[in-house]
Amino acid sequence: MIRNLLLKNRFVHCEKGMAALEFVLIAPALLLLIFAVVFYSFYFSAFLAVRQVASDSARAAVAGLSIEEREDLARNRAKIIIDAYGNLLSGIDPNAGVTPVANTDDGTLSVTVEYDFAKNPIYRYGGILPIPDDTVIKGRSVVPNGSY
């Protein structure tokens, strides 16, 4: 009886395996937090990249002499920047996703860039995270239409 009591007391106070148990309880939340940071850093990087493409394309278009030349300059500059970003902006087609529009009424050129973040390779791994409903990221920049 005393021996059984000593063995029972020994198992109650045994702390072997406590670190493993704590790890099992904490690890899923920690891994989810780390993955959320990585996922949203890609999302915000894409957001900033789209705005950068719009502003740089609009600035490049200022050098054109005609409306058609300005639109071509904007699309060409957008293609260069999109290619430089690589996989981060892999789903943007410079001919469809970049829309330069010259407005002769107020003398401005507007460049709009749209990117569907659902085409990003990391998006398919975001199923366990609360992701934004609207996955289309838009950037717009307006510059004077020429130097007049």
Side-chain angles (χ1 to χ4, degrees), residues 4-138:
N4 287 342
L5 187 61
L6 288 174
L7 285 175
K8 184 180 175 187
N9 210 10
R10 186 170 154 199
F11 284 121
V12 170
H13 295 292
C14 180
E15 292 187 12
K16 288 185 178 178
M18 285 303 289
L21 180 62
E22 290 172 0
F23 179 76
V24 167
L25 294 174
I26 303 266
L30 181 63
L31 291 174
L32 184 65
L33 180 66
I34 290 170
F35 185 70
V37 167
V38 170
F39 181 84
Y40 276 97
S41 67
F42 272 93
Y43 182 79
F44 292 129
S45 294
F47 179 78
L48 292 174
V50 165
R51 293 182 68 182
Q52 181 71 29
V53 170
S55 66
D56 278 0
S57 299
R59 270 195 297 260
V62 171
L65 299 176
S66 66
I67 293 173
E68 293 81 19
E69 187 179 7
R70 289 183 186 114
E71 291 175 354
D72 286 340
L73 285 171
R75 279 197 181 90
N76 291 337
R77 184 65 183 160
K79 181 177 178 359
I80 291 169
I81 297 169
I82 290 168
D83 290 343
Y85 273 105
N87 283 338
L88 185 62
L89 297 178
S90 60
I92 296 182
D93 177 17
N95 297 322
V98 178
T99 312
V101 177
N103 187 352
T104 54
D105 292 339
D106 62 356
T108 61
L109 176 81
S110 169
V111 176
T112 305
V113 179
E114 292 186 4
Y115 173 56
D116 188 5
F117 189 71
K119 295 180 181 179
N120 194 300
I122 199 169
Y123 187 80
R124 63 180 160 212
Y125 301 113
I128 58 174
L129 298 174
I131 54 178
D133 293 334
D134 187 15
T135 60
V136 177
I137 300 171
K138 296 178 184 176

